[in-house]
Amino acid sequence: FPFAGNTGFGAMAAHIPDDGYCLVVHGPHVGITKDGLIGKVERPGIALVDNCCGSAIAASNYLKGITDGGAKITTKLQSFSDFQQGAVQELILPFGKRLGEAENRMKELPYALYDSQDILVRDIINTGKGGIKKGLALLGGIQINTGPDTLDYFHPLRFEYYNEDGEMVEDLLALL
């Protein structure tokens, strides 16, 4: 998620040369084991086949607790010491029905997270479009982490070019 927000985008854009371009890449990640198990990954030097992405799975479990009625009721919405995880949990809430109806929740989870992130990233770009110098390319997708003996992958879902006015002028996804 773009936790640096509008302020971070503005700070980043201030470092782009006057005649420069910017590439913004965003998206969640998901693990897939060599046996095809989604939401887990083998890591070098670690015997445990671990959750990947642990934050996403925790947020999904939080959401499942709400939709299934088993969540513990509390007045504490977010803990500042774990603010990002609290934000991920809140930002996934609109996708509860979609995840609940998914044939494979772990397969659908990174797509739901991507859609949530994509809304935020496009809003940040629109708000900060005055900082775009010559142009900006936006590449969004899902990073697929695999085991140590396999290459990782990136599944592109958006690739657009924005002009200096922040207007999307070309959809480049078909070119990938």
Side-chain angles (χ1 to χ4, degrees), residues 64-167:
K64 192 171 186 327
I66 291 171
T67 57
D68 291 351
K72 182 179 176 183
I73 304 297
T74 177
T75 58
K76 186 176 181 181
L77 294 176
Q78 290 188 11
S79 167
F80 190 79
S81 62
D82 203 7
F83 181 79
Q84 287 186 352
Q85 183 60 38
V88 172
Q89 290 175 181
E90 297 301 316
L91 291 166
I92 199 174
L93 287 174
F95 302 96
K97 183 175 180 177
R98 173 175 157 184
L99 289 169
E101 294 174 352
E103 186 177 317
N104 182 330
R105 188 178 185 99
M106 286 299 105
K107 183 177 179 181
E108 188 62 28
L109 180 58
Y111 288 96
L113 289 167
Y114 168 80
D115 288 343
S116 182
Q117 289 179 19
D118 192 55
I119 292 166
L120 290 171
V121 168
R122 287 186 295 118
D123 183 64
I124 290 167
I125 289 171
N126 185 54
T127 301
K129 63 187 173 191
I132 298 173
K133 305 296 176 36
K134 293 295 238 177
L136 178 141
L138 174 62
L139 176 60
I142 299 171
Q143 174 67 34
I144 302 168
N145 301 122
T146 61
D149 299 328
T150 310
L151 293 174
D152 290 343
Y153 300 92
F154 186 77
H155 175 52
L157 298 171
R158 177 183 301 281
F159 189 31
E160 298 172 338
Y161 176 71
Y162 293 78
N163 66 16
E164 63 274 2
D165 297 321
E167 300 164 336

Side-chain angles (χ1 to χ4, degrees), residues 7-112:
T7 301
F9 184 85
M12 177 276 304
H15 294 279
I16 301 170
D18 291 339
D19 60 349
Y21 296 84
C22 178
L23 171 64
V24 174
V25 180
H26 78 94
H29 72 116
V30 63
I32 301 179
T33 65
K34 63 183 172 188
D35 297 329
L37 183 61
I38 300 171
K40 299 278 188 181
V41 71
E42 299 96 349
R43 301 181 195 274
I46 301 174
L48 175 69
V49 176
D50 204 6
N51 287 341
C52 181
C53 166
S55 172
I57 292 169
S60 176
N61 290 339
Y62 167 78
L63 179 60
K64 192 171 186 327
I66 291 171
T67 57
D68 291 351
K72 182 179 176 183
I73 304 297
T74 177
T75 58
K76 186 176 181 181
L77 294 176
Q78 290 188 11
S79 167
F80 190 79
S81 62
D82 203 7
F83 181 79
Q84 287 186 352
Q85 183 60 38
V88 172
Q89 290 175 181
E90 297 301 316
L91 291 166
I92 199 174
L93 287 174
F95 302 96
K97 183 175 180 177
R98 173 175 157 184
L99 289 169
E101 294 174 352
E103 186 177 317
N104 182 330
R105 188 178 185 99
M106 286 299 105
K107 183 177 179 181
E108 188 62 28
L109 180 58
Y111 288 96

